Amino acid sequence: MATYLITGASSDVGTALIRRVYKPGDTIIAQGSGDIEKLRALAEETNGAVHPYDVDLTSTEAMDAFVAEIREKFDTPTHFVHLPALRMVNTKFKNFDEERFLLDMNVQVLSALHICKAILPAMAKAKTGRVLFMLTSYIIGLPPKNATAYIVAKNALRGLAQSLATEYAASGITVNCVAPYMMETKFLSDTPNLIVEASAAANPMKRNAQVTDVVPAMAFLLSEEAGFITGAVLPITGGAAY
């Protein structure tokens, strides 16, 4: 039986992943922020196996309380999946918003660091664990323009993942990342339609990624079959390379 800790679980990818990996007897600690109605519905579907938490990842106090409750109420997670990010805003570098960038770094990077620091030593004692981070194909090769803040945050997250993979490999813990092409989810609500359409047209398969393209690959990296894969960044791009 597995204990999953999923941050950003209320996202389209998060809810789809829960439905994909959940087995009776599993426990799923599912974090969202102000949008956890889907998680409450999943809790009902799974007879209470999904435990929704509304946590502001930009708040150190909220993060501390969340981690403390996880330690008190649940066994050490066997799986940690980190999905959250602020919605990407396409903007020229001359208009770089430092305040928003720092918020996104809190949501994407510092929260992951905080949680990993709390749970990975216990995973190491158990000699098993799976950690998975959501990146983007924008970090493969040269990135598109007007996405500096998003790309910097994702590269920082990749650095954290690969460092952890090196440090914890001998403890039976794998730390991997998926890097999807532009994925058509509610995350794109602030992205102009012309950009979304241009992305689809530029892809060799003439479409953007869908949740159903990405979640099976994530489930594999979280499985026992992926026990000799760590430090990997898996492109899910339909053949596109930046």
Side-chain angles (χ1 to χ4, degrees), residues 190-204:
D190 294 332
T191 302
N193 286 336
L194 283 176
I195 292 176
V196 176
E197 292 167 2
S199 172
N203 189 279

Side-chain angles (χ1 to χ4, degrees), residues 134-144 150-151 154 158 178-183 199 203 209 233-238 240-242:
M134 175 66 74
L135 301 182
T136 171
S137 64
Y138 285 2
I139 66 170
I140 300 169
L142 285 176
Y150 188 69
I151 291 161
K154 288 298 187 186
R158 174 170 62 176
V178 291
Y181 197 74
M182 181 180 285
M183 191 168 15
S199 172
N203 189 279
V233 177
L234 178 61
I236 307 173
T237 66
Y242 290 99

Side-chain angles (χ1 to χ4, degrees), residues 128-171:
T128 185
R130 297 282 182 271
V131 178
L132 184 63
F133 293 163
M134 175 66 74
L135 301 182
T136 171
S137 64
Y138 285 2
I139 66 170
I140 300 169
L142 285 176
K145 61 183 180 181
N146 301 336
T148 301
Y150 188 69
I151 291 161
V152 170
K154 288 298 187 186
N155 271 298
L157 194 58
R158 174 170 62 176
L160 173 61
Q162 293 181 327
S163 178
L164 293 175
T166 300
E167 185 160 346
Y168 284 97
S171 299

